[in-house]
Amino acid sequence: MLSILRCLLVPAVLLFSGLVQAQSGQCSFIQDPNLQAQCRASSGGGSGQCSFIRDNDMQAYCRATTGSGSGQCSFIRNGDTQSLCRAVTDRSAGQCSFIRDNDTQAYCRAITGSGTGQCSFIRSGDLQAMCRASTGSGSGQCSFIRDPDMQAACRARFG
């Protein structure tokens, strides 16, 4: 489950954390080609980078979060992913309640306005650190992430 979360929550961090300031050079440290393309798209490369993503759900998520809007979320088959996509693109915590996975729901709530307090409900250490970094605790949290791709994406934003 963590790998699915990693692929979807990393872009959420980049989106909610101010894409323009993200350091796209850090994206090259991401090994997963889908995540690397998402990172590049989210850090200034635009939705054209989304076409390099092979996973259909991730590609739709990428397009939605890089400017095409929440309409792209309807192309996502996974219900939790679709709800996260809508929450992120509409910046609406209300969509988070439709997410069944507890970690993803807490993360969704944290990045859509409920703040760092929601991060403590996340069981995954990597995801909890990513959550804390994205809700204001800063780049120091990136060093607590063990997954190298998640850590690189965290550093791409918080640097």
Side-chain angles (χ1 to χ4, degrees):
M1 184 64 180
L2 182 59
S3 64
I4 293 170
L5 289 174
R6 174 177 71 124
C7 290
L8 298 171
L9 299 178
V10 167
V13 165
L14 293 170
L15 177 72
F16 267 90
S17 302
L19 299 175
V20 191
Q21 291 90 24
Q23 300 172 1
S24 63
Q26 290 292 321
C27 298
S28 62
F29 293 107
I30 298 174
Q31 297 298 309
D32 181 284
N34 290 333
L35 268 181
Q36 190 177 90
Q38 173 70 58
C39 182
R40 291 186 192 286
S42 299
S43 57
S47 63
Q49 290 292 317
C50 301
S51 62
F52 294 107
I53 298 174
R54 291 182 283 254
D55 178 86
N56 291 333
D57 282 359
M58 274 188 73
Q59 191 175 94
Y61 188 94
C62 179
R63 291 187 194 288
T65 58
T66 56
S68 295
S70 62
Q72 287 292 313
C73 301
S74 63
F75 294 106
I76 298 173
R77 289 170 288 193
N78 178 285
D80 282 0
T81 306
Q82 190 176 95
S83 293
L84 178 66
C85 180
R86 290 185 194 287
V88 168
T89 55
D90 293 341
R91 297 183 187 260
S92 166
Q95 287 293 320
C96 301
S97 62
F98 295 108
I99 298 173
R100 284 178 254 147
D101 179 74
N102 292 331
D103 282 359
T104 309
Q105 188 178 92
Y107 187 90
C108 180
R109 289 184 193 284
I111 64 172
T112 56
S114 296
T116 304
Q118 288 294 315
C119 301
S120 62
F121 294 108
I122 299 173
R123 283 181 238 126
S124 162
D126 283 357
L127 188 56
Q128 193 175 93
M130 180 73 87
C131 182
R132 291 187 194 288
S134 65
T135 56
S137 295
S139 63
Q141 291 295 317
C142 300
S143 62
F144 293 109
I145 299 173
R146 291 183 180 187
D147 180 277
D149 284 352
M150 280 181 78
Q151 190 176 81
C154 186
R155 292 189 192 283
R157 170 52 191 115
F158 303 108

